[in-house]
Amino acid sequence: MPLLKLLHFTALIAWCGALLYLPALIAASCRTANTIERPGHPELNRSLFNLVATPAALIAIGSGTALFLRDGTFGIWLVAKLSAVAVLVICHALCGMLILLCERHPRPGLTVACAAIGGVTLSMIATTLWLVLAKPF
């Protein structure tokens, strides 16, 4: 089953990388309220979310579930790790909501929300990594 672990790690790297990059990309797209002056390609937000982040999240969660069912690791450690992953899922959903808000009503005020989501995402990634490295055997 090393391939299952490899699949899980690869999906996690793609998902976490996309979750860290998306808030910055959304904030850059919403910097100006005038769509004519808006730099870059706003459809990149939706593409990254739909084609990279969401499939990677589904694969990471599915393969992670298969790993802990296979290993039979249950306990408070697993509850703490799954709680951190649940917060990452909420950040993922909030990024999707911000993409929709930015597409409909671009305004600079969304950068504060993007910064908050980016900070929470970074702290949950660090928490999850710490929990994995501190995993009881």
Side-chain angles (χ1 to χ4, degrees):
M1 288 277 187
L3 288 178
L4 184 59
K5 236 178 217 184
L6 179 65
L7 177 68
H8 184 62
F9 290 157
T10 305
L12 273 175
I13 289 169
W15 184 33
C16 291
L19 277 183
L20 289 173
Y21 186 58
L22 268 170
L25 191 62
I26 296 166
S29 322
C30 291
R31 207 176 0 218
T32 61
N34 188 351
T35 57
I36 295 171
E37 295 176 10
R38 218 171 350 159
H41 303 283
E43 65 271 0
L44 181 62
N45 298 346
R46 186 180 283 262
S47 297
L48 179 64
F49 185 80
N50 288 335
L51 299 177
V52 177
T54 301
L58 293 173
I59 292 169
I61 292 169
S63 60
T65 302
L67 281 170
F68 86 75
L69 289 175
R70 178 199 70 180
D71 294 341
T73 309
F74 298 100
I76 194 71
W77 169 85
L78 182 63
V79 172
K81 181 181 172 215
L82 291 179
S83 298
V85 171
V87 174
L88 282 175
V89 170
I90 291 169
C91 289
H92 182 96
L94 288 173
C95 281
M97 186 182 74
L98 284 176
I99 289 170
L100 292 175
L101 280 174
C102 186
E103 287 175 353
R104 292 182 183 139
H105 307 289
R107 57 186 178 272
L110 290 178
T111 58
V112 174
C114 291
I117 291 173
V120 171
T121 299
L122 183 61
S123 66
M124 285 301 107
I125 290 171
T127 300
T128 305
L129 182 61
W130 180 79
L131 284 167
V132 167
L133 294 176
K135 174 183 173 183
F137 293 98

